[in-house]
Amino acid sequence: TTSAAGKPLLVHPAGQVSLSHTRGMVAVAYAADACSIGIDIERLDRKVRYRQLAQHYFATEEVAALVQLEPAAAQHLFMQLWVLKEAAIKALGSTLASDLRRLRFEQQAGVWQGFYDGKVLQAWQFGVQTVDEGYLLGWAAWIAAASQVQDASQ
Protein backbone atom coordinates (compact mmCIF):
# COMPACT_ATOMS: atom_id res chain seq x y z
CA THR A 1 0.00 0.00 0.00
CA THR A 2 1.07 3.67 -0.12
CA SER A 3 0.80 6.76 2.06
CA ALA A 4 -1.29 9.77 0.98
CA ALA A 5 1.90 11.21 -0.58
CA GLY A 6 2.53 7.99 -2.52
CA LYS A 7 5.34 6.61 -0.33
CA PRO A 8 5.32 2.78 -0.41
CA LEU A 9 4.29 1.29 2.95
CA LEU A 10 4.64 -2.31 4.11
CA VAL A 11 1.56 -3.86 5.63
CA HIS A 12 3.41 -6.93 6.99
CA PRO A 13 5.97 -7.18 8.47
CA ALA A 14 6.15 -3.94 10.41
CA GLY A 15 8.61 -1.43 9.02
CA GLN A 16 9.19 0.95 6.16
CA VAL A 17 10.46 0.44 2.66
CA SER A 18 11.87 2.86 0.14
CA LEU A 19 12.24 2.08 -3.56
CA SER A 20 14.07 3.79 -6.38
CA HIS A 21 14.91 2.84 -9.93
CA THR A 22 16.68 4.17 -12.95
CA ARG A 23 17.64 2.62 -16.26
CA GLY A 24 19.53 -0.57 -15.41
CA MET A 25 19.31 -0.46 -11.60
CA VAL A 26 16.83 -0.83 -8.73
CA ALA A 27 17.51 0.12 -5.10
CA VAL A 28 15.48 -1.02 -2.09
CA ALA A 29 15.90 -0.02 1.55
CA TYR A 30 14.06 -1.43 4.57
CA ALA A 31 13.89 -0.03 8.11
CA ALA A 32 12.20 -1.20 11.31
CA ASP A 33 9.23 0.68 12.79
CA ALA A 34 11.36 3.00 14.94
CA CYS A 35 13.09 4.35 11.84
CA SER A 36 12.33 6.27 8.68
CA ILE A 37 14.24 5.51 5.49
CA GLY A 38 14.55 6.97 2.03
CA ILE A 39 16.69 5.95 -0.94
CA ASP A 40 17.34 7.26 -4.44
CA ILE A 41 19.50 6.02 -7.29
CA GLU A 42 20.48 7.82 -10.49
CA ARG A 43 22.79 7.11 -13.42
CA LEU A 44 26.01 9.11 -13.31
CA ASP A 45 25.96 9.57 -17.09
CA ARG A 46 22.50 11.15 -16.97
CA LYS A 47 22.72 14.55 -18.64
CA VAL A 48 20.67 17.18 -16.87
CA ARG A 49 20.51 20.95 -17.03
CA TYR A 50 21.92 21.10 -13.54
CA ARG A 51 22.27 24.88 -13.36
CA GLN A 52 18.60 25.47 -14.23
CA LEU A 53 17.39 22.68 -11.93
CA ALA A 54 19.59 23.89 -9.08
CA GLN A 55 18.19 27.44 -9.41
CA HIS A 56 14.70 26.03 -9.02
CA TYR A 57 15.19 23.27 -6.41
CA PHE A 58 18.38 23.99 -4.43
CA ALA A 59 19.15 26.25 -1.48
CA THR A 60 21.13 29.42 -2.17
CA GLU A 61 24.24 27.91 -0.53
CA GLU A 62 24.05 24.82 -2.74
CA VAL A 63 23.73 26.90 -5.91
CA ALA A 64 26.70 29.02 -4.82
CA ALA A 65 28.81 25.87 -4.32
CA LEU A 66 27.89 24.61 -7.80
CA VAL A 67 28.78 27.79 -9.69
CA GLN A 68 32.31 27.78 -8.22
CA LEU A 69 33.12 24.39 -9.80
CA GLU A 70 34.19 23.28 -13.24
CA PRO A 71 31.28 21.75 -15.23
CA ALA A 72 32.15 18.06 -14.61
CA ALA A 73 32.61 18.61 -10.86
CA ALA A 74 29.44 20.74 -10.71
CA GLN A 75 27.45 18.01 -12.49
CA HIS A 76 28.73 15.42 -9.98
CA LEU A 77 27.92 17.62 -6.96
CA PHE A 78 24.48 18.32 -8.42
CA MET A 79 23.80 14.57 -8.67
CA GLN A 80 24.99 14.02 -5.09
CA LEU A 81 22.70 16.75 -3.78
CA TRP A 82 19.82 15.51 -5.94
CA VAL A 83 19.94 11.92 -4.66
CA LEU A 84 20.22 13.21 -1.08
CA LYS A 85 17.18 15.46 -1.53
CA GLU A 86 15.10 12.70 -3.11
CA ALA A 87 16.10 10.23 -0.41
CA ALA A 88 15.31 12.73 2.35
CA ILE A 89 11.88 13.66 1.05
CA LYS A 90 11.04 9.97 0.70
CA ALA A 91 12.13 9.38 4.31
CA LEU A 92 10.08 12.39 5.41
CA GLY A 93 7.07 11.01 3.53
CA SER A 94 6.87 14.11 1.34
CA THR A 95 6.89 14.59 -2.44
CA LEU A 96 8.99 16.37 -5.06
CA ALA A 97 6.30 19.05 -5.06
CA SER A 98 7.74 20.17 -1.71
CA ASP A 99 9.90 23.28 -1.63
CA LEU A 100 13.27 21.54 -1.88
CA ARG A 101 15.08 24.84 -1.35
CA ARG A 102 14.20 24.55 2.34
CA LEU A 103 16.19 21.28 2.49
CA ARG A 104 19.96 21.85 2.25
CA PHE A 105 22.95 19.55 2.39
CA GLU A 106 26.63 20.11 2.92
CA GLN A 107 29.54 17.78 3.42
CA GLN A 108 31.68 18.32 6.51
CA ALA A 109 34.80 16.19 7.01
CA GLY A 110 33.41 13.59 4.60
CA VAL A 111 30.03 13.36 6.36
CA TRP A 112 26.81 14.69 4.82
CA GLN A 113 24.79 16.98 7.10
CA GLY A 114 21.19 17.97 6.38
CA PHE A 115 19.45 21.22 7.25
CA TYR A 116 15.77 22.14 7.02
CA ASP A 117 14.89 25.84 7.18
CA GLY A 118 18.45 26.40 8.40
CA LYS A 119 18.17 23.99 11.33
CA VAL A 120 20.32 20.85 11.61
CA LEU A 121 18.34 17.66 11.02
CA GLN A 122 19.36 15.91 14.24
CA ALA A 123 19.08 12.13 14.59
CA TRP A 124 19.30 11.90 10.79
CA GLN A 125 22.06 10.21 8.86
CA PHE A 126 22.70 10.79 5.17
CA GLY A 127 25.01 9.18 2.67
CA VAL A 128 25.97 9.04 -0.99
CA GLN A 129 27.95 6.29 -2.68
CA THR A 130 28.83 5.11 -6.14
CA VAL A 131 27.35 1.75 -7.12
CA ASP A 132 28.81 -0.36 -9.94
CA GLU A 133 30.83 2.63 -11.20
CA GLY A 134 27.85 4.00 -13.13
CA TYR A 135 25.24 4.87 -10.49
CA LEU A 136 24.95 7.21 -7.56
CA LEU A 137 22.97 6.06 -4.52
CA GLY A 138 21.70 8.47 -1.88
CA TRP A 139 20.10 7.50 1.40
CA ALA A 140 18.50 9.19 4.40
CA ALA A 141 17.67 7.54 7.71
CA TRP A 142 16.08 8.77 10.93
CA ILE A 143 16.39 6.55 13.98
CA ALA A 144 14.01 7.17 16.91
CA ALA A 145 16.52 5.94 19.51
CA ALA A 146 19.14 8.43 18.28
CA SER A 147 16.57 11.22 18.52
CA GLN A 148 15.76 10.32 22.13
CA VAL A 149 19.44 10.24 23.09
CA GLN A 150 20.09 13.63 21.50
CA ASP A 151 16.97 15.15 23.08
CA ALA A 152 18.02 13.90 26.53
CA SER A 153 21.46 15.51 26.19
CA GLN A 154 20.11 18.99 25.43
Side-chain angles (χ1 to χ4, degrees):
T1 187
T2 60
S3 71
K7 180 178 180 180
L9 301 173
L10 289 180
V11 177
H12 297 288
Q16 291 192 20
V17 67
S18 182
L19 305 169
S20 182
H21 63 88
T22 189
R23 186 171 38 103
M25 186 67 69
V26 173
V28 179
Y30 172 80
D33 270 340
C35 303
S36 185
I37 191 84
I39 197 164
D40 186 51
I41 193 159
E42 297 288 345
R43 292 181 61 87
L44 281 170
D45 65 357
R46 180 177 174 195
K47 301 296 180 211
V48 296
R49 295 180 180 171
Y50 66 88
R51 290 186 192 269
Q52 291 89 343
L53 289 170
Q55 289 290 335
H56 188 70
Y57 291 110
F58 284 13
T60 304
E61 299 89 341
E62 293 167 330
V63 174
L66 286 171
V67 299
Q68 295 177 4
L69 299 173
E70 294 296 321
Q75 170 84 16
H76 189 75
L77 178 58
F78 172 86
M79 294 304 288
Q80 289 178 311
L81 294 169
W82 187 261
V83 296
L84 284 168
K85 286 178 183 276
E86 280 214 38
I89 61 171
K90 288 177 181 181
L92 290 164
S94 192
T95 67
L96 277 175
S98 304
D99 186 356
L100 295 181
R101 293 171 293 194
R102 298 172 70 186
L103 180 61
R104 176 175 64 87
F105 290 95
E106 64 183 52
Q107 198 172 26
Q108 302 171 356
V111 176
W112 286 101
Q113 180 68 59
F115 302 84
Y116 190 80
D117 283 343
K119 296 179 184 175
V120 174
L121 290 171
Q122 295 191 13
W124 283 89
Q125 294 181 6
F126 304 97
V128 177
Q129 64 190 71
T130 302
V131 177
D132 286 346
E133 306 273 333
Y135 301 89
L136 201 61
L137 176 78
W139 56 269
W142 178 82
I143 303 168
S147 175
Q148 292 167 357
V149 170
Q150 286 183 358
D151 289 346
S153 68
Q154 294 179 351

